[in-house]
Amino acid sequence: MTVALRTIEPIVVEVGLGQRSYGIVIGRNLLVSLGQRMKALRPGARAAIVTDETVAKHHLAAAEASLKAAGIPSISVHVPAGEGSKKIATFEDVCEALIAERIERDDLVVALGGGVIGDLAGFAAASVRRGLDFIQVPTTLLAQVDSSVGGKTGINSRHGKNLIGAFHQPILVIADTALLDTLPPREFRAGYAEMAKYGLLGDAAFFAWLEANWSDVFAGGAAREHAIAVSCRAKAAIVARDEREHGDRALLNLGHTFGHAFEAAAGFSQRLLHGEAVGLGMALAFAFSARRGLLPDSEVDRVVHHLATVGLPTHAAQIPGERASADQLMDLIAQDKKVKRGTLTFILARGIGSAFVAKDVDPAEVRAFLIEKLAVQ
Ligand code: NAD
Ligand code: GLY
């Protein structure tokens, strides 16, 4: 008896931005289709793949083979792996390499990597020759559910994260979930924090689904693809109604104001990954909301319990190395671009799935909260 193999169609999520709309294609083993998908969108274009050294080892050959099979000439630019590459010097190297390779307006940049590569390559694409089109091929969970979607690109300044950059939307996102098979478990967990964020900020049912199904998401297969698609739909809807973050898009920063401060205090190092910082920041944002009487402690406990269950840090004391002080964190929070005219803007919550933008938060209240939290061993 012959058993027919079922072809599993990729899921396509549309980011609706008028003429700049694009699709996020989600599924297993999609990298092989990169060349054909690119050719369909930009026939005749050459490709400049920007990637990091770790991703290059695992996945560059497959990306190049797909382009070659579609008759697309390509070059590749490699940068060191990690957050340290989101800096001016590396940005300059990438831009110079694209120019030296004569990548022209009609050509395409392919960002093959995690959020660091997407942000860096996207910003280089936004800048070289006043703007090249680019395709995101996210290779971390974090990049598949968040950073590859929505057009925020950029690098860090010595004053803080993502302070130099541009809005520049990709023309296509290819989220091949098989690429996550080579991702270290710690990096997968860090990306999961951004996935849980969508439940916490606006979709209580999705958070409950994650509480019940998180281990299937980690294991791979249909649950992972479903959760990535739900996350991308949530982000696409927010980006479509507020591309430039004049309103609702700020909700996506849930956990980021506290998180960025801890991440900067840890020197943007392996001590605390970006996604881990977001997980910790979300636990703190919920605790701060409870302290303001916005939600019961039982909601905070549920958030902390789930994040801790998957192995994410939820207390500052879990960050290895020297403990940051409340004053140091307050200085870093003041540098954050969510600060307007000296008052603090935080994303707070009235419950799981009910986040809102709180403007004019008193810095003294945040400082007192941090002192309390930092005192816990
Ligand atoms: P990352 O890009 O540094 O990737 C994490 C590590 O995993 C790196 O060492 C990388 O080499 C490695 N890696 C990537 N893919 C791999 C794979 N498939 N197999 C094995 N190793 C792999 O970090 P990240 O967590 O993906 O992204 C974090 C960055 O994203 C931060 O700079 C953050 O500010 C940014 N970000 C941007 C947005 C946005 O909207 N633009 C949103 C969220 C986060
Ligand atoms: N990750 C935040 C945003 O894309 O707006």
Side-chain angles (χ1 to χ4, degrees):
M1 193 176 76
T2 316
V3 179
L5 281 178
R6 199 161 63 91
T7 310
I8 299 175
E9 288 297 321
I11 302 168
V12 181
V13 174
E14 200 60 25
V15 185
L17 290 168
Q19 289 193 327
R20 289 172 298 109
S21 296
Y22 55 94
I24 308 162
V25 192
I26 302 159
R28 259 193 109 71
N29 302 319
L30 291 178
L31 186 56
V32 70
S33 68
L34 168 66
Q36 286 303 335
R37 290 178 193 277
M38 171 173 160
K39 197 155 101 180
L41 286 170
R42 294 289 184 277
R46 291 188 303 145
I49 303 174
V50 180
T51 191
D52 74 36
E53 283 153 3
T54 306
V55 175
K57 260 189 271 162
H58 292 292
H59 302 299
L60 180 59
E64 287 175 333
S66 169
L67 294 169
K68 193 170 174 203
I72 298 171
S74 70
I75 60 115
S76 64
V77 181
H78 304 204
V79 303
E83 186 72 28
S85 280
K86 267 179 66 170
K87 62 171 187 248
I88 297 255
T90 315
F91 170 70
E92 184 184 357
D93 288 347
V94 173
C95 292
E96 293 293 354
L98 296 176
I99 295 163
E101 292 286 352
R102 299 187 190 285
I103 295 301
E104 303 288 345
R105 277 268 182 85
D106 293 341
D107 296 327
L108 262 170
V109 172
V110 176
L112 176 70
V116 164
I117 289 301
D119 284 10
L120 175 70
F123 186 37
S127 311
V128 168
R129 303 193 199 282
R130 299 199 180 87
L132 305 168
D133 284 342
F134 81 119
I135 293 177
Q136 290 267 20
V137 184
T139 63
T140 62
L141 179 61
L142 182 141
Q144 294 194 353
V145 298
D146 190 356
S147 61
S148 66
V149 176
K152 278 190 181 176
T153 72
I155 54 175
N156 302 327
S157 133
R158 72 171 70 96
H159 297 291
K161 253 181 97 65
N162 301 331
L163 293 177
I164 305 165
F167 285 95
H168 187 51
Q169 300 290 344
I171 62 164
L172 174 68
V173 180
I174 299 176
D176 178 347
T177 56
L179 302 185
L180 305 180
D181 293 348
T182 57
L183 195 62
R186 184 179 173 196
E187 294 289 351
F188 192 92
R189 274 198 300 277
Y192 183 86
E194 299 274 17
M195 180 180 266
K197 181 182 79 178
Y198 296 107
L200 292 176
L201 74 85
D203 189 345
F206 181 50
F207 186 74
W209 185 89
L210 288 174
E211 286 178 307
N213 295 285
W214 68 270
S215 55
D216 291 339
V217 175
F218 276 64
R224 180 184 290 177
E225 278 145 39
H226 169 74
I228 292 172
V230 172
S231 303
C232 287
R233 272 188 212 109
K235 179 146 187 186
I238 290 177
V239 168
R241 59 179 189 261
D242 181 23
E243 184 184 6
R244 295 273 171 151
E245 199 172 312
H246 297 303
D248 267 15
R249 184 164 180 167
L251 294 174
L252 296 171
N253 297 326
L254 175 63
H256 283 60
T257 302
F258 285 124
H260 280 173
F262 279 100
E263 197 183 356
F268 299 114
S269 69
Q270 289 295 309
R271 284 174 59 204
L272 188 68
L273 303 180
H274 175 73
E276 292 172 337
V278 170
L280 171 61
M282 292 191 299
L284 291 173
F286 269 75
F288 187 62
S289 302
R291 192 179 190 273
R292 295 187 124 205
L294 291 166
L295 49 80
D297 286 341
S298 56
E299 290 281 273
V300 185
D301 293 346
R302 207 176 135 197
V303 174
V304 169
H305 177 74
H306 182 58
L307 297 176
T309 300
V310 306
L312 284 162
T314 52
H315 297 287
Q318 291 167 286
I319 305 168
E322 199 181 328
R323 184 83 63 92
S325 70
D327 285 339
Q328 187 186 0
L329 293 167
M330 287 308 294
D331 278 352
L332 291 163
I333 285 172
Q335 278 292 354
D336 200 271
K337 61 190 181 325
K338 287 128 204 145
V339 179
K340 284 210 173 108
R341 294 178 197 90
T343 63
L344 299 176
T345 299
F346 271 81
I347 311 307
L348 300 181
R350 297 192 179 90
I352 289 170
S354 301
F356 67 99
V357 182
K359 297 194 169 146
D360 302 331
V361 173
D362 181 358
E365 195 186 342
V366 180
R367 191 172 177 280
F369 169 75
L370 284 172
I371 289 170
E372 276 166 34
K373 288 289 162 193
L374 294 172
V376 177
Q377 289 306 312

